[in-house]
Amino acid sequence: MFGKKNFRNYVSGPRELIVEKQPKAPVSEQFRAVRTNIMYSNIDTEIKAVLVTSATPGAGKSTTAANLAVAYAQSGNRTILIDADLRRPTMHYTFEITNRRGMTTAIVNSVPIENIVRETLVENLDLITSGPIPPNPSDLLLSNKMKHLLKTFSIHYDMVIVDSSSLLETSDALSISKITDGTVLVTDVTENNRDMLLEAKNMLSKADANILGVVMNNKKMKKDNYYYHHGSEEK
Ligand SMILES: Nc1ncnc2c1ncn2[C@@H]1O[C@H](COP(=O)(O)OP(=O)(O)OP(=O)(O)O)[C@@H](O)[C@H]1O
Ligand SMILES: [Mg+2]
């Protein structure tokens, strides 16, 4: 289904910042392998901004994006993680910070980026949360302001990792794939969704997105390994 140059990586572990908390765990090694594969996937083009998406919801995009960002930061790369899932954002839960300002405030209110970039407890890793959920996420993601912001981050950081909503749900992720250097598709291997994965892959190809590879997430874990976030209240 995917070409020879696309990597396939298997990850199996709980959500949360496992790469930070348990750097020696096998799953942390798997996330580092994804980082390495991204590095080698395009020899001629420098990959500085990567979109993490999936065909259908709940595949493990946000978990992958967060852990991949930590893996980059730990290897000494100045990294920024952007929550561009403007419908079901979760990075503020994962990093336990407020979401009163973020991407949406930067796009809509032209707030200077210094005011939306947050330092995390992980060395070399900054974060931009989604900001308040807007009524028109697609318009924001399609805007020139969004494009300009991503360009600015690519200049200021070694790596930009963008979390998004899923491809078959809305056009949001596809819009972002056009302004990032590459796309990583996450799929939940415990679900049999090959057809949807193929549909998502075709959508990306038609849009001339640069598909870097597929992360096969195995969510079959013991229940107490799962991370739950409750409600949508602001922290
Ligand atoms: N490898 C895994 N092992 C156990 N649980 C996992 C794993 N990956 C993800 N999960 C759990 O599955 C749920 C969905 O994961 P995540 O939020 O990363 O997916 P997503 O693709 O970002 O979802 P959405 O489409 O809602 O944005 C979370 O509750 C997370 O804890
Ligand atoms: Mg998510």
Side-chain angles (χ1 to χ4, degrees):
M1 185 191 307
F2 292 89
K4 260 193 189 150
K5 78 178 183 74
N6 301 131
F7 64 76
R8 283 179 199 81
N9 274 93
Y10 188 80
V11 299
S12 172
R15 179 195 170 100
E16 294 185 280
L17 298 176
I18 191 93
V19 176
E20 193 217 356
K21 289 186 186 137
Q22 296 177 44
K24 295 204 171 112
V27 65
S28 303
E29 186 48 50
Q30 290 159 352
F31 280 116
R32 285 193 290 271
V34 177
R35 178 194 67 199
T36 307
N37 280 340
I38 291 175
M39 212 162 72
Y40 288 110
S41 61
N42 281 62
I43 311 288
D44 295 328
T45 0
E46 196 185 7
I47 305 290
K48 293 209 71 178
V50 171
L51 166 70
V52 180
T53 187
S54 63
T56 50
K61 297 178 289 298
S62 302
T63 308
T64 301
N67 281 289
L68 188 59
V70 174
Y72 268 103
Q74 282 178 345
S75 61
N77 290 292
R78 293 258 311 126
T79 307
I80 190 156
L81 173 63
I82 298 177
D83 195 343
D85 184 341
L86 304 186
R87 296 168 197 268
R88 273 193 308 275
T90 54
M91 286 307 172
H92 54 295
Y93 296 117
T94 307
F95 287 85
E96 299 180 335
I97 55 172
T98 61
N99 191 25
R100 276 190 284 277
R101 53 183 202 269
M103 279 313 272
T104 57
T105 31
I107 297 169
V108 178
N109 305 331
S110 299
V111 173
I113 50 175
E114 310 85 82
N115 294 2
I116 56 156
V117 173
R118 327 273 280 274
E119 277 184 11
T120 70
L121 295 174
V122 181
E123 203 185 335
N124 291 323
L125 180 62
D126 287 349
L127 169 70
I128 305 183
T129 62
S130 68
I133 295 175
N136 54 343
S138 311
D139 296 343
L140 266 58
L141 295 171
L142 270 174
S143 66
N144 281 330
K145 192 74 208 270
M146 173 73 189
K147 204 171 168 177
H148 179 74
L149 281 170
L150 268 192
K151 206 167 255 169
T152 309
F153 294 131
S154 299
I155 294 167
H156 285 90
Y157 289 86
D158 300 320
M159 180 52 80
V160 184
I161 307 280
V162 187
D163 184 25
S164 71
S165 44
S166 55
L167 280 160
L168 303 184
E169 240 180 325
T170 68
S171 59
D172 295 4
L174 202 63
S175 309
I176 306 170
S177 76
K178 293 175 186 163
I179 50 174
T180 45
D181 305 317
T183 297
V184 169
L185 261 178
V186 181
T187 186
D188 175 3
V189 290
T190 62
E191 261 179 40
N192 187 14
N193 66 351
R194 197 176 186 277
D195 292 346
M196 296 206 228
L197 188 63
L198 183 62
E199 199 179 331
K201 185 228 161 193
N202 289 342
M203 270 172 83
L204 287 169
S205 303
K206 267 191 211 137
D208 276 334
N210 181 14
I211 305 174
L212 300 174
V214 183
V215 169
M216 289 174 284
N217 185 25
N218 186 353
K219 281 169 60 176
K220 235 180 218 161
M221 294 288 297
K222 280 194 214 99
K223 248 205 159 144
D224 57 359
N225 271 333
Y226 278 64
Y227 170 92
Y228 293 102
H229 58 82
H230 306 277
S232 58
E233 76 280 358
E234 273 203 347
K235 272 196 179 163

